[in-house]
Amino acid sequence: MKNKKTLVTLLLDRSGSMQSVKDDTIGAINAYIEELKKSESKIHFSLIMFDSMGNGCELSKLYVAEKILNVKPLTSSDFNPRGGTPLIDAACITIRAVEDSLVGKKDTNVVFAIQTDGHENESRENTWSGLKSLIKEKEDKGWEFLFMGCGIDAYKQGAMMGISKDKTLSYGKDRMATMNAFRATASNTVLYSAGAMADMSYNDKQKLDSGDHI
């Protein structure tokens, strides 16, 4: 596993409700990126933001499979919350895009993290059951999925996607909880990519430090 490349994808909610946690989220993501850069493993990084302005799912690809050392800090101009939350469509589209990018490529670990602070309200092309089936299909191939819910019942929503409780984080909306949530995710990613963790499961301390009541 140490010789494998790890492709990390962060699917980030950019809907209007994220405005209240915009600055904290930017700071936490930048700390997360810096932690990934400390890894001695081959990490490539994708950052995809999603929202909807009434015309279906809109995705903004800030980075796609970029070497982690080339990734720059997220800025306020990069991340401007707006619109609705087409969570299902965004996840399905992005998972399929990652799948397509890996055709013909071997020895790649896949970590796929989904972040949101709200509930699905704008998807038009896909369903919860379809997303759950898609995630199960990819997990059977060794992909690691995480669900990071900010200020919501992430366990209920994660279960609708089929993401296990161990890989779900229901974090608080304050600055420290947000920072700790992304710090835990980065730490686990570094360890997993190095072969020092069997999977991306959060431990109880990481959950509690993130404001998760488990």
Side-chain angles (χ1 to χ4, degrees), residues 3-214:
N3 295 322
K4 285 187 174 183
K5 178 177 75 175
T6 300
L7 175 59
V8 178
T9 299
L10 174 60
L11 184 61
L12 177 65
D13 184 355
R14 193 179 59 182
S15 63
S17 57
M18 286 291 293
Q19 183 64 46
S20 65
V21 292
K22 174 180 175 176
D23 291 342
D24 291 342
T25 300
I26 290 173
I29 288 176
N30 287 338
Y32 161 80
I33 290 170
E34 287 306 308
E35 187 66 24
L36 294 184
K37 288 182 178 181
K38 296 177 184 178
S39 174
E40 296 182 0
S41 304
K42 301 173 184 176
I43 293 180
H44 287 63
F45 181 70
S46 298
L47 176 54
I48 315 297
M49 299 178 288
F50 72 95
D51 58 40
S52 173
M53 295 299 288
N55 295 311
C57 179
E58 296 190 29
L59 298 174
S60 294
K61 304 172 186 178
L62 196 58
Y63 291 100
V64 176
E66 184 64 62
K67 291 181 180 180
I68 190 61
L69 293 178
N70 295 336
V71 175
K72 297 179 180 180
L74 189 68
T75 68
S76 182
S77 60
D78 293 326
F79 182 57
N80 288 301
R82 60 180 200 169
T85 311
L87 176 62
I88 299 171
D89 282 351
C92 286
I93 292 168
T94 307
I95 291 169
R96 291 176 183 133
V98 172
E99 177 185 33
D100 290 345
S101 75
L102 295 175
V103 172
K105 298 179 181 178
K106 298 180 180 180
D107 297 325
T108 301
N109 299 310
V110 178
V111 174
F112 196 106
I114 301 170
Q115 184 279 341
T116 186
D117 76 327
H119 297 282
E120 162 63 46
N121 60 21
E122 286 286 343
S123 291
R124 303 180 181 185
E125 304 297 329
N126 298 275
T127 63
W128 282 115
S129 61
L131 175 56
K132 187 174 183 178
S133 294
L134 185 59
I135 288 176
K136 176 64 166 58
E137 174 189 315
K138 301 310 170 196
E139 285 183 329
D140 288 345
K141 293 183 178 180
W143 291 30
E144 290 287 310
F145 283 89
L146 304 173
F147 181 56
M148 304 171 66
C150 175
I152 61 172
D153 183 349
Y155 293 101
K156 179 179 180 180
Q157 197 154 309
M160 294 172 72
M161 298 183 233
I163 298 178
S164 73
K165 290 183 178 180
D166 289 344
K167 298 175 186 178
T168 297
L169 198 58
S170 192
Y171 71 95
K173 300 188 76 169
D174 60 281
R175 183 185 64 82
M176 187 55 67
T178 302
M179 183 66 71
N180 285 341
F182 279 92
R183 182 179 290 127
T185 304
S187 176
N188 289 1
T189 303
V190 169
L191 291 171
Y192 175 71
S193 65
M197 284 181 66
D199 59 37
M200 287 285 296
S201 296
Y202 298 104
N203 61 47
D204 286 352
K205 184 178 187 306
Q206 288 174 328
K207 287 175 178 275
L208 290 171
D209 287 348
S210 301
D212 190 329
H213 299 292
I214 313 180

